[in-house]
Structures are given as C-alpha cells and as structure tokens.
Amino acid sequence: MGLIKRAIDGLLVAFGKVSIVLVWLYMHVLYRPKAHFVDKNVQTNRLRTPCIVIANHTTIVDPPFILSVLRGKTAIVIAKDWYEKPGINWICRAANGIPCDRFNLDTEWALLAKKELKKGRSVIIFPEGKCREDGDLNEFKPGFAFLARSTGFPVVCVGLDGIYTFGHRIHYVVDVPQYIGRTKGVPSSVDLERQSAQMRERVKLLKAGAVRHGIADLSAPGTEYAVVPPAPEFGAAETECAQ
C-alpha cells in the first residue's frame, strides 16, 4: 500500500507541474502581462539569484499570475488551510508551496522558506495574508521582513494592478532589490513592524504605478514614506484567500 500511495503521490505532483505550464499559457494568453521596471538598466523578470518577492494581494488569481510572470526557480508561501485542501494540494506541492498557518503562531514556514532560499529558490510572499478588493492594502505582516533580516537575502517589491477582467491587459511593476538590516537602538519587534509598514507603502506606490500604466513619478527606493494605515475594512471588500 505504501508503494502504491507513493506512486499516486508522484503522479499527482507530475500532473501538478503540467498544470502549472497550462496555467502559464492561460495567464499569458488571456491577460497579456505587461511588465514595468523601476531600474531601466535591469529590465528582466528573471530571478537570477534568490530573493524574497512580496506583492499586494487583490484576488486568488494573484499567486498563479505572479508565478507565471516571474521566471527562475521559485517557491511560494501559501495559507495552510488552502495548502491542505485535497483538491489543490497536489498543485501547491508542484509549485514548491510553503504552508503557513495564518490563524495561529507559526514559525515553521520561515524555517522552510530559509531552506528554499538556500536551495537557490526565490520565495514569494503576500504579506497581507488575505485579499483586499477595494483598492487599498491591508497591513503587512512582518514575517517577510524577519526572513529577509535573518537570512540576508534581499526583498523585491512587486505591484500588481489586480484587474483580472476579460480584455484587460494586466500591468505589474518590479522594484529593485532592497536589503533589510537591524536598526541600532530600536527593539527588534518595533523595527520589523516599522520596516514592514515602509515596505507596504512601497508596494502601494508600485501598485498605483501598475494601475496607471506608468512609473515615471516613482520615488527612489529607500525613501522614507509617511506610513498611512489601511482604510477601514468594508465587509466584502476583504476576503480570505491564499496567502
């Protein structure tokens, strides 16, 4: 029985990898992704070296979309309650999914993410942890900042316009890599929260650039933004979905 189970499991993962290719084709044919790059000298969406990619989260289409447009070896952090669904677990594993329990204290995901980075894979994270469909961004959970600071790998912010409607060409903006260090004299937890909030403002700015299809007025990376709290949540404007 164990041998049969392993064989079935292997077939499911193989089918998942084929499905990922089909999803890639679907995304590129239906949405015709258009990339914008903050650094005009580095106009490529190939992740040549491992990094931590963070992006805004509008709908459940965001994870397969970003996996489709970023080339190179990747892993992605997925809400554990979604990762464990029998109907999609096989494709989550094929995509090198990292389960994260968003309802309880969970540090296991960070250990798994570190292993993926050491293997040469970039780790994709949606720091909001859930969808936000009203155009604003939820607060960013600081886990990505802790991962970046503890491993030394840079963070690459991506802004998605999040408009997945028929006939609309999806635009997205890719930022330059940024490193997160420890601020002397500031408690670790406070420092992580501050840097997480700053990164949220950066992603919010990149998303705005994606929505208007232009990034000419983007400020330089590392700019200190006035941290704006998320707008009040309005029922259906925010929905639970894969992290």
Side-chain angles (χ1 to χ4, degrees):
M1 289 296 293
L3 183 62
I4 294 175
K5 184 177 180 181
R6 286 195 297 271
I8 294 174
D9 190 64
L11 285 173
L12 286 174
V13 173
F15 183 68
K17 292 186 181 297
V18 173
S19 299
I20 289 172
V21 174
L22 294 177
V23 169
W24 184 93
L25 290 171
Y26 176 84
M27 292 292 171
H28 282 262
V29 171
L30 186 64
Y31 297 125
R32 300 168 293 126
K34 173 63 176 177
H36 304 269
F37 299 94
V38 172
D39 188 344
K40 298 297 189 294
N41 298 315
V42 187
Q43 297 198 22
T44 177
N45 52 5
R46 174 167 291 281
L47 303 172
R48 292 189 174 89
T49 57
C51 60
I52 298 162
V53 179
I54 63 171
N56 56 290
H57 204 359
T58 304
T59 78
I60 59 173
V61 184
D62 293 326
F65 178 81
I66 200 167
L67 283 169
S68 297
V69 298
L70 295 180
R71 296 195 296 273
K73 296 190 293 183
T74 58
I76 184 168
V77 176
I78 303 172
K80 187 176 182 180
D81 48 307
W82 277 76
Y83 183 91
E84 293 180 344
K85 291 180 183 292
I88 63 171
N89 175 259
W90 48 276
I91 197 168
C92 289
R93 288 186 291 134
N96 301 312
I98 300 169
C100 176
D101 188 344
R102 54 184 173 168
F103 302 116
N104 299 290
L105 180 62
D106 181 13
T107 57
E108 181 66 21
W109 76 269
L111 297 175
L112 295 173
K114 287 180 181 180
K115 290 180 180 178
E116 294 297 332
L117 289 165
K118 290 180 179 178
K119 290 178 184 177
R121 292 192 180 108
S122 294
V123 175
I124 300 168
I125 302 175
F126 293 93
E128 294 172 84
K130 50 190 173 183
C131 299
R132 183 70 180 248
E133 298 178 350
D134 63 356
D136 199 4
L137 275 66
N138 293 303
E139 292 182 4
F140 276 17
K141 297 179 181 180
F144 77 92
F146 170 77
L147 181 64
R149 194 179 71 181
S150 62
T151 62
F153 287 96
V155 175
V156 174
C157 297
V158 177
L160 308 173
D161 73 13
I163 307 171
Y164 302 99
T165 56
F166 182 76
H168 173 75
R169 186 177 193 182
I170 298 293
H171 291 253
Y172 63 101
V173 181
V174 181
D175 207 352
V176 298
Q178 300 182 63
Y179 290 88
I180 293 181
R182 180 74 179 267
T183 304
K184 291 183 179 180
V186 179
S188 179
S189 59
V190 174
D191 192 31
L192 288 172
E193 291 285 353
R194 182 188 65 80
Q195 297 195 68
S196 176
Q198 289 290 321
M199 286 288 186
R200 174 185 176 270
E201 297 306 313
R202 183 66 182 174
V203 172
K204 189 174 182 179
L205 191 63
L206 296 175
K207 178 188 176 181
V211 169
R212 64 175 178 268
H213 307 169
I215 56 174
D217 57 344
L218 276 179
S219 57
T223 300
E224 289 290 323
Y225 307 105
V227 176
V228 180
E233 300 172 1
F234 297 98
E238 180 180 296
T239 55
E240 299 289 339
C241 64
Q243 181 169 328

